[in-house]
Amino acid sequence: MSPQSVLVPLFKLYLCGIKVLLYQIFNRSFTLPVLPKQNGRVAIVTGGTRGIGFETARHLASLGMHVIIAGNEREEGAAAVRKIHEEGTEGTAEFVFVDMTSLKSVRHFVRLFRDRGLPLHVLVNNAGTMMVPERQTEDGFEYHLGLNYLSHFLLTNLLLDLLKRSGKPGCCSRIINMSSATHYAGVVDMEDLNRRIQYSSHGAYSQSKLALVLFTYYLQEQLTASSCSVTVNAVDPGMVDTALYDNLWTLVQLLKKPVAKILFRTPAEGASTAVYAAAASEMEGVGGCYLYNGQKTQSAADLRNNLVLADR
């Protein structure tokens, strides 16, 4: 492994981070408008036991949705559900176990959900990890690729027919893919997707987030072509003070702590754009967008014209 293969992705990723922090210094966090009630609608939020996922689930439940928090921490899940219900929310929440590093577990989760006969109106693909040391999922995929992208790709496709049936003209089902500004630094290496030749945690993470954006654009093209009442958008939450940063090098973590308190968004602020995409009237029928701080934003250069790569 050459030093360049590690240092270049690292530099590009941290440059993205600096740009985001500069934006957050000079721009206020997006404030949600008054959102319409969502009574009778059903949502799944992966990784919804804490951080951005929990705040997303919490807000959707407050609008009247029945929210299924999908995660692999049973105690955290029970605590999250209890906290939502203690707030006297109009909707309901429940926790259902799924291990997003296991495609077998994803399939089992989908079977359990289908057996209940529920509709599905909102799918928030939020679960993820960041910059872990080199390791593989039980299916043999690079960990970032498997957890952040492939598991959500599978989950979405296994639930897509249900989303299509649940959506109606003027009341579409909605898919939200949680990406990141780090996708701008991403390179999808079709010859080494699992990063086995040259591993960089920074490169692997940014690749997984780029893959989510490509998937968003490609899936929306397919949904539009078949006139389905389903939309899909990618969301960038900004730099948010969550446990995702626990895998940073010790020195970087020490430097991050004082900065995060001042410049990072809170989990609730980070969740605001995902909630907006899931529930706002302004987003009805709108898909194929990259949303940052409540606004439609241009993603990495030429991504919209890169559907050939997405199709591969």
Side-chain angles (χ1 to χ4, degrees):
M1 180 186 299
S2 67
Q4 183 179 1
S5 67
V6 175
L7 293 176
V8 170
L10 183 152
F11 175 78
K12 290 170 68 177
L13 188 143
Y14 283 108
L15 181 60
C16 286
I18 291 170
K19 290 179 179 179
V20 173
L21 283 181
L22 288 173
Y23 177 90
Q24 293 184 179
I25 289 172
F26 297 106
N27 296 271
R28 291 184 176 180
S29 177
F30 171 63
T31 301
L32 278 168
V34 176
L35 298 173
K37 294 298 182 183
Q38 303 289 312
N39 300 77
R41 288 172 71 82
V42 177
I44 293 174
V45 181
T46 67
T49 60
R50 57 180 171 174
I52 295 171
F54 170 74
E55 293 296 339
T56 301
R58 175 175 164 271
H59 205 123
L60 294 180
S62 75
L63 295 172
M65 282 193 190
H66 176 66
V67 181
I68 294 168
I69 296 173
N72 65 346
E73 296 288 345
R74 298 182 191 277
E75 289 187 7
E76 280 191 359
V81 169
R82 185 166 56 251
K83 185 174 181 181
I84 289 172
H85 288 162
E86 286 173 352
E87 293 177 354
T89 182
E90 288 194 27
T92 55
E94 63 173 301
F95 172 79
V96 179
F97 179 87
V98 63
D99 179 358
M100 296 300 288
T101 68
S102 164
L103 300 184
K104 179 180 178 181
S105 182
V106 172
R107 290 188 176 94
H108 180 67
F109 171 85
V110 171
R111 283 197 299 271
L112 290 178
F113 182 79
R114 283 181 171 279
D115 287 347
R116 298 174 63 180
L118 293 171
L120 180 61
H121 305 95
V122 174
L123 173 62
V124 183
N125 290 321
N126 166 78
T129 192
M130 182 171 74
M131 289 182 276
V132 298
E134 185 173 9
R135 58 191 289 198
Q136 285 78 44
T137 67
E138 70 172 40
D139 302 287
F141 298 110
E142 188 280 319
Y143 204 76
H144 298 87
L145 182 70
L147 172 53
N148 296 353
Y149 174 61
L150 291 176
S151 63
H152 288 111
F153 176 88
L154 178 62
L155 178 67
T156 301
N157 279 282
L158 291 178
L159 292 171
L160 195 55
D161 63 330
L162 189 53
L163 286 157
K164 290 177 180 179
R165 290 200 302 270
S166 302
K168 303 290 186 295
C171 193
C172 290
S173 296
R174 305 185 188 190
I175 303 167
I176 294 91
N177 291 324
M178 195 67 73
S179 186
S180 162
T182 57
H183 89 276
Y184 290 102
V187 175
V188 177
D189 186 349
M190 298 301 294
E191 304 305 319
D192 187 24
L193 279 174
N194 286 296
R195 303 280 166 160
R196 287 174 180 156
I197 298 173
Q198 292 184 326
Y199 185 77
S200 159
S201 61
H202 300 82
Y205 176 67
S206 56
Q207 173 184 252
S208 71
K209 292 301 181 178
L210 174 56
L212 280 169
V213 178
L214 284 168
F215 175 47
T216 298
Y217 291 160
Y218 179 75
L219 180 57
Q220 187 60 61
E221 289 275 334
Q222 301 304 304
L223 292 168
T224 300
S226 57
S227 301
C228 295
S229 296
V230 182
T231 61
V232 53
N233 291 291
V235 166
D236 176 355
M239 293 192 76
V240 182
D241 193 11
T242 70
L244 265 185
Y245 293 90
D246 289 351
N247 294 312
L248 294 176
W249 296 338
T250 303
L251 177 59
V252 179
Q253 284 200 45
L254 291 174
L255 294 173
K256 170 250 176 188
K257 287 182 179 179
V259 174
K261 291 181 180 179
I262 302 171
L263 300 180
F264 281 29
R265 304 299 197 205
T266 65
E269 290 171 334
S272 61
T273 300
V275 174
Y276 179 75
S281 299
E282 295 88 340
M283 292 301 296
E284 177 56 45
V286 178
C289 299
Y290 182 80
L291 303 173
Y292 174 52
N293 208 33
Q295 301 293 324
K296 298 174 188 176
T297 306
Q298 184 176 8
S299 62
D302 299 325
L303 267 181
R304 284 188 172 277
N305 297 319
N306 210 354
L307 293 179
V308 173
L309 175 59
D311 197 22
R312 287 178 67 186

